[in-house]
Amino acid sequence: MDGFQRRREQKKLNILEAALALFMEYGVQKISIGEIAKKANVSQVTIYNYFESKHNLIHEVFVYYTDKALDEFEQILVSNMAFPEKIKHLMFTKNETAKQIHEDFYQYLMKEYTSGINYMEKIYTEKALPRFIDLFNQGKEQGYVDPNLSNEAILFYIKAMNEYIQREEVYQSILPLTEDIMKILFYGIVGEKEK
Amino acid sequence: MDGFQRRREQKKLNILEAALALFMEYGVQKISIGEIAKKANVSQVTIYNYFESKHNLIHEVFVYYTDKALDEFEQILVSNMAFPEKIKHLMFTKNETAKQIHEDFYQYLMKEYTSGINYMEKIYTEKALPRFIDLFNQGKEQGYVDPNLSNEAILFYIKAMNEYIQREEVYQSILPLTEDIMKILFYGIVGEKEK
Amino acid sequence: MDGFQRRREQKKLNILEAALALFMEYGVQKISIGEIAKKANVSQVTIYNYFESKHNLIHEVFVYYTDKALDEFEQILVSNMAFPEKIKHLMFTKNETAKQIHEDFYQYLMKEYTSGINYMEKIYTEKALPRFIDLFNQGKEQGYVDPNLSNEAILFYIKAMNEYIQREEVYQSILPLTEDIMKILFYGIVGEKEK
Amino acid sequence: MDGFQRRREQKKLNILEAALALFMEYGVQKISIGEIAKKANVSQVTIYNYFESKHNLIHEVFVYYTDKALDEFEQILVSNMAFPEKIKHLMFTKNETAKQIHEDFYQYLMKEYTSGINYMEKIYTEKALPRFIDLFNQGKEQGYVDPNLSNEAILFYIKAMNEYIQREEVYQSILPLTEDIMKILFYGIVGEKEK
DNA sequence: AATGAATGAGGGTTCATTCAT
DNA sequence: GATGAATGAACCCTCATTCAT
């Protein structure tokens, strides 16, 4: 990539970052191209030169965001924490990237076009899911997890928890309960039978 | 209430229902007053006569929806199912009312004005929460639940699950896992220690 | 007029008064039929029953107002003040009726239809003008007025002054200058030649 | 100012002129942005790009008009007419700019926001008033004006006359009376004592 | 390649007026 | 006769998008 290309790429990044920040704060529909242009210090037309339409811009922002989120996810998995610790992080980490975006983004992509969703599912199936499976299998080998449980069910739990936690007001109130929640996950609401 | 009042009330209901349906399907911001008017078979101005502004309409739709959701919730609690069955329903029932509304509605109300949220929290704290507590306490007395667990943590689980399930694509894929998920909830991922 | 007619007439008066008050305070165009209806404690349709259209209502309000103003004017003329005193009053009296109405009313009537103006001119020519002429002729006979001056010119002065004074901010600042202004009117800016 | 800027400025002027003409003829409230756009041969949005809101447009039109009126006023003062001639012009000149604007504009600015009025008063106090005072003082020195008269009173007369004359129907009927009116102003209604 | 200028389409809202009871 | 309910038309304003430089 020559200097020219690089500058172009940098400008594109600026726009993506500006759009992402605004989308996350105010939602996709409330943000106008003009606002993104102002925040990114370019003209509206420049955005059209790079992204062709608002629709398209949203799509690219989404891809950009998904990739970033995947990175954070992998950071946790490759770390050398013990199994329960990793689970805890997966459940309770409030992705820096994720924040509030889910709700509106998801909604928009669901309703407006499916290509964004497809991309996310592709990434998820190809990249994230196998890593989860590996993790759970390790957990079973190490005796942390009942071998009869389906990985999907466990995964479901973790995702539900994590998504719920992304909501600011939920996150605040959940911190004091962390230990109890982990206990439920490991031992269920019935509790440990023998101590 | 005389015939006049009743017809008026009925028309208001029509509009609320039309708006609710459209909001749930397409989101609050994408739906114009004109579209609601067309669906409810009234003129736009009629909507303004009843609700004064779109803002206000959204608020009233929200209250209407919240009340309906509360009803469904209470249906489950007063039924004569056994404790585990009730929990299952609370977690897995895809509220007819709830559907997808959460995401966009929540977003809108969070961002635009807080009175809607306040109403929901009031209803929740005054009506729903005490019922939950009662239920969990019964569960503890009946030996279903470890008495050392905080009710909040259990509640958190149930709400996270239920909210996650509201999403259509999640709901589809989760049904086969129901049993495993209930098992995790009761016995944790470690599984039952003694069989 | 029987009791029925009388009640009807009273209701009409109520509406006229309400409309007049609102028109004077906010101008003709800013006031909606709904606002007048609310202020007069009747339904909008009642106003239509009595006045047929907003246009017409404005016309009748104008006539009502003109007649009232004429009364005030005649009060001054029939009083037993001396000539200079009467002139002073005609110039400086801030008609209770007149207030700010002139500007917007006049504008509206000028542009929208001429019948209002016609009515005012008719009243003016038939009723007010002859009284003015009488007054000036008395003034000439009594030596207050140069017999060579045309009555029209004097009248012009008085009307210009009076109209200007109706404006609130003008009225406030003019009071201290009353004496000087009267002096100019009587003796001109050259001043009295012999004292 | 480069060609860009100049064209922009020219277009702004076009819009201002169009708006001013329409406002003067039909009043501020009756004129829609659409009508101004059509008259100025631009799209509605262009007007918004330049002026941001109707409110703002009105304000700028007002400033534009005030400045123009000030120019005309100064033309008279710097001319080499004799004192009585200047006074005559000040009283009887139907400002090309002024026309009917006063009534509606004034009303609007009075009621809606005061910044317009403030601007006019600032211009008036800083620019116009001192020139008037100079003129009157000259008149006193040259024996045209009684030195005991307050300048304010004279000014009041002139303004009242001039404003009254701006009304079309008044202007028509006043022309034949010009000489008499000037005589009243200089010598009062009592008339010249010695000839 | 980048931008300032311009716009058609559409959204929320108000108002004078009519309909139906 | 009086009213609550309903409406078509119009207005101000915003936005995604294109034009012209």
Side-chain angles (χ1 to χ4, degrees), chain B residues 18-63:
Chain B
L20 182 55
L22 289 171
F23 286 165
M24 293 203 305
E25 179 134 26
Y26 303 100
V28 170
Q29 311 183 54
K30 295 283 282 185
I31 292 301
S32 73
I33 296 286
E35 287 167 307
I36 298 170
K38 194 178 291 177
K39 174 141 191 169
N41 265 102
V42 296
S43 112
Q44 289 198 41
V45 186
T46 299
I47 295 184
Y48 279 88
N49 285 341
Y50 281 92
F51 298 96
E52 294 196 326
S53 70
K54 187 181 183 184
H55 201 76
N56 224 323
L57 170 61
I58 293 170
H59 175 70
E60 295 216 20
V61 170
F62 182 72
V63 167

Side-chain angles (χ1 to χ4, degrees), chain A residues 25 29-30 106 111 146 150 156-157 161 163 167 169 174 180-181 185-190 194, chain B residues 25 29-30 106 111 146 150 156-157 161 163 167 169 174 180-181 185-190 193:
Chain A
E25 179 133 26
Q29 310 183 56
K30 296 279 282 184
Y106 207 88
K111 302 289 181 197
D146 178 353
S150 65
F156 168 81
Y157 256 86
M161 292 300 125
E163 187 144 310
R167 296 226 305 250
E169 81 283 4
I174 214 58
D180 265 11
I181 289 173
L185 179 63
F186 278 82
Y187 305 108
I189 58 178
V190 171
E194 79 261 274
Chain B
E25 179 134 26
Q29 311 183 54
K30 295 283 282 185
Y106 207 88
K111 302 284 183 197
D146 177 354
S150 65
F156 168 81
Y157 257 85
M161 292 299 124
E163 187 144 311
R167 295 228 303 253
E169 82 284 3
I174 215 59
D180 265 10
I181 288 172
L185 179 63
F186 277 83
Y187 304 109
I189 57 178
V190 170
K193 276 300 158 49

Side-chain angles (χ1 to χ4, degrees), chain C residues 87-151:
Chain C
I87 295 291
K88 197 173 177 175
H89 269 77
L90 289 175
M91 274 179 63
F92 289 101
T93 295
K94 197 155 165 30
N95 303 20
E96 191 44 42
T97 335
K99 284 188 187 159
Q100 211 135 15
I101 205 170
H102 273 156
E103 326 219 9
D104 192 30
F105 242 149
Y106 207 89
Q107 166 108 4
Y108 180 80
L109 294 165
M110 286 284 293
K111 302 290 181 198
E112 297 296 313
Y113 62 173
T114 35
S115 72
I117 293 299
N118 289 344
Y119 178 77
M120 199 176 80
E121 294 211 334
K122 186 171 155 249
I123 288 291
Y124 176 71
T125 316
E126 290 180 6
K127 303 244 166 102
L129 188 54
R131 312 296 288 268
F132 271 122
I133 303 299
D134 283 357
L135 178 67
F136 296 151
N137 286 339
Q138 281 170 35
K140 285 174 179 174
E141 280 165 25
Q142 295 168 19
Y144 286 112
V145 179
D146 177 354
N148 297 314
L149 281 179
S150 64
N151 288 328

Side-chain angles (χ1 to χ4, degrees), chain D residues 139-158:
Chain D
K140 286 174 178 174
E141 279 165 27
Q142 295 169 20
Y144 287 113
V145 179
D146 178 352
N148 296 316
L149 283 178
S150 66
N151 288 328
E152 287 82 0
I154 309 173
L155 187 53
F156 169 81
Y157 256 84
I158 292 177

Side-chain angles (χ1 to χ4, degrees), chain C residues 106 146 163 167 169 189, chain D residues 106 146 163 167 169 185 189:
Chain C
Y106 207 89
D146 177 354
E163 186 143 313
R167 295 228 303 252
E169 81 284 6
I189 57 176
Chain D
Y106 208 88
D146 178 352
E163 187 145 311
R167 296 226 305 250
E169 82 285 3
L185 178 64
I189 58 177

Side-chain angles (χ1 to χ4, degrees), chain A residues 23-30 83 87 91-92 100-104 106-108 110-112 121 143-161 163-165 167-170 174 177 180-195, chain B residues 23-30 83 87 91-92 100-104 106-108 110-112 121 143-161 163-165 167-170 174 177 180-195:
Chain A
F23 286 165
M24 293 204 305
E25 179 133 26
Y26 303 100
V28 169
Q29 310 183 56
K30 296 279 282 184
F83 176 82
I87 295 289
M91 275 180 62
F92 290 100
Q100 210 135 14
I101 205 170
H102 274 155
E103 327 218 9
D104 191 31
Y106 207 88
Q107 167 108 3
Y108 181 80
M110 286 285 292
K111 302 289 181 197
E112 297 295 313
E121 295 211 333
Y144 286 112
V145 179
D146 178 353
N148 296 317
L149 282 179
S150 65
N151 289 329
E152 287 81 1
I154 309 172
L155 186 52
F156 168 81
Y157 256 86
I158 293 177
K159 290 206 289 185
M161 292 300 125
E163 187 144 310
Y164 193 49
I165 278 173
R167 296 226 305 250
E168 193 56 33
E169 81 283 4
V170 170
I174 214 58
L177 304 174
D180 265 11
I181 289 173
M182 289 305 291
K183 256 168 70 183
I184 298 182
L185 179 63
F186 278 82
Y187 305 108
I189 58 178
V190 171
E192 290 181 80
K193 277 297 158 50
E194 79 261 274
K195 280 215 199 152
Chain B
F23 286 165
M24 293 203 305
E25 179 134 26
Y26 303 100
V28 170
Q29 311 183 54
K30 295 283 282 185
F83 176 82
I87 295 289
M91 275 179 62
F92 290 101
Q100 208 134 17
I101 205 171
H102 274 152
E103 327 219 6
D104 191 31
Y106 207 88
Q107 166 108 2
Y108 179 79
M110 285 286 290
K111 302 284 183 197
E112 298 295 314
E121 294 211 334
Y144 288 111
V145 179
D146 177 354
N148 297 316
L149 281 179
S150 65
N151 288 329
E152 287 83 0
I154 308 172
L155 186 53
F156 168 81
Y157 257 85
I158 292 178
K159 290 206 290 184
M161 292 299 124
E163 187 144 311
Y164 193 50
I165 279 173
R167 295 228 303 253
E168 193 57 33
E169 82 284 3
V170 170
I174 215 59
L177 302 175
D180 265 10
I181 288 172
M182 288 305 290
K183 256 170 69 184
I184 297 181
L185 179 63
F186 277 83
Y187 304 109
I189 57 178
V190 170
E192 290 181 80
K193 276 300 158 49
E194 80 266 88
K195 281 221 188 135

Side-chain angles (χ1 to χ4, degrees), chain C residues 25 29-30 106 111 146 150 156-157 161 163 167 169 174 180-181 185-190 193, chain D residues 25 29-30 106 111-112 146 150 156-157 161 163 167 169 174 180-181 185-190:
Chain C
E25 178 134 25
Q29 310 183 53
K30 297 278 282 186
Y106 207 89
K111 302 290 181 198
D146 177 354
S150 64
F156 168 83
Y157 256 85
M161 292 301 123
E163 186 143 313
R167 295 228 303 252
E169 81 284 6
I174 215 58
D180 265 10
I181 288 172
L185 179 63
F186 278 82
Y187 305 108
I189 57 176
V190 170
K193 273 300 157 47
Chain D
E25 179 132 24
Q29 311 183 55
K30 295 280 283 184
Y106 208 88
K111 302 283 185 202
E112 298 295 314
D146 178 352
S150 66
F156 169 81
Y157 256 84
M161 293 302 124
E163 187 145 311
R167 296 226 305 250
E169 82 285 3
I174 215 58
D180 266 10
I181 289 173
L185 178 64
F186 278 84
Y187 306 109
I189 58 177
V190 169

